[in-house]
Amino acid sequence: MSSGIYAIAHIGNLKLFVGEASKLSQKWPPMLAQLNSGKFPHAMLQQVWTTEGGKRHFSFHTKAEIIGDLDILGIEELLAETAT
């Protein structure tokens, strides 16, 4: 994964947690470690991650994957925000 926008999707619950990071491929392993250890800075995502039992209930996506899926609710707002 390259730098930029990423999303963590909560499977079956229509929740999409979107963030931005430089050098995403280097940040991804520490982010997963934080989630697994209960220390992720986004409290809502951490709570859902912990309650749902971790990675098996989530999928992970890059900006390129997100932009290509016009069925994502709110994709227009996400694209508008990333353009600025």
Side-chain angles (χ1 to χ4, degrees), residues 30-64:
M31 288 168 59
L32 288 175
Q34 284 181 317
L35 284 164
N36 288 326
S37 68
K39 297 178 182 176
F40 196 74
H42 189 289
M44 182 186 206
L45 176 55
Q46 182 63 67
Q47 180 181 6
V48 174
W49 182 275
T50 302
T51 302
E52 294 292 328
K55 191 174 178 179
R56 70 178 181 268
H57 293 280
F58 293 83
S59 60
F60 305 88
H61 310 276
T62 62
K63 179 181 177 181

Side-chain angles (χ1 to χ4, degrees), residues 59-74:
S59 60
F60 305 88
H61 310 276
T62 62
K63 179 181 177 181
E65 294 169 335
I66 296 167
I67 289 175
D69 189 347
L70 299 178
D71 291 329
I72 294 175
L73 298 174

Side-chain angles (χ1 to χ4, degrees), residues 7-26:
I8 302 172
H10 184 199
I11 299 168
N13 200 7
L14 297 178
K15 296 242 187 219
L16 187 67
F17 302 91
V18 179
E20 183 175 8
S22 61
K23 300 182 182 177
L24 190 52
S25 62
Q26 294 174 3

